[in-house]
Amino acid sequence: MGAYEREQELILAGKAERGHAAREYFAELDAEIPEEASMLTHRPDYTKTLFAPENDDVYQEFCRYLDLPKPRFFDAIEDPLRVDGHTAADVYYAMKSKNDRIISIDGAAVYNMMINLRNKPEIYNKVLEFRPTCYQSGCGMKDAAFDAGYYS
């Protein structure tokens, strides 16, 4: 029995609400964050996106991700869901590879991005393609201003 099925049983028994598995995952992540870094973390409210019943297919895959052994990898999910042509592994790579300032991305953020891609693909495909310019993260390789030839 996976995280999704356990959550559904707890909901039916009146012992939990939707998003229970994700909240346990967040508690696990929060326990690993050093105290001095905890003030720099941010977690949005996923009630209207990842936890919403209309996004159950994405939430079920997120729970399959939670069921993976640590360290978890998005590309280890069998038969991954595709949203606007992107799997969770594709979304993670796009989010992480284009911005060196990002230190880590949790699974909920990746699956939330998939929901955003589903709802507003024209905007969120641009978000995934975004590359910071020089003034935001320093001039050099992997920098949009550098690639445009503004700095050599």
Side-chain angles (χ1 to χ4, degrees), residues 67-135:
D67 292 336
L68 293 173
K70 289 183 186 177
R72 297 176 180 109
F73 297 100
F74 295 101
D75 57 359
I77 294 174
E78 293 182 30
D79 193 26
L81 178 68
R82 289 189 173 275
V83 174
D84 201 43
H86 301 279
T87 64
D90 299 334
V91 169
Y92 174 79
Y93 178 76
M95 291 170 74
K96 184 90 168 116
S97 68
K98 295 188 177 74
N99 191 339
D100 290 333
R101 296 177 297 159
I102 295 176
I103 297 170
S104 68
I105 301 169
D106 69 44
V110 171
Y111 284 101
N112 200 59
M113 176 62 80
M114 290 181 74
I115 292 166
N116 289 332
L117 272 169
R118 175 186 286 166
N119 295 337
K120 297 178 183 174
E122 62 285 345
I123 294 172
Y124 285 93
N125 274 307
K126 289 179 183 178
V127 169
L128 289 179
E129 293 300 317
F130 173 76
R131 291 184 57 204
T133 57
C134 181
Y135 67 88

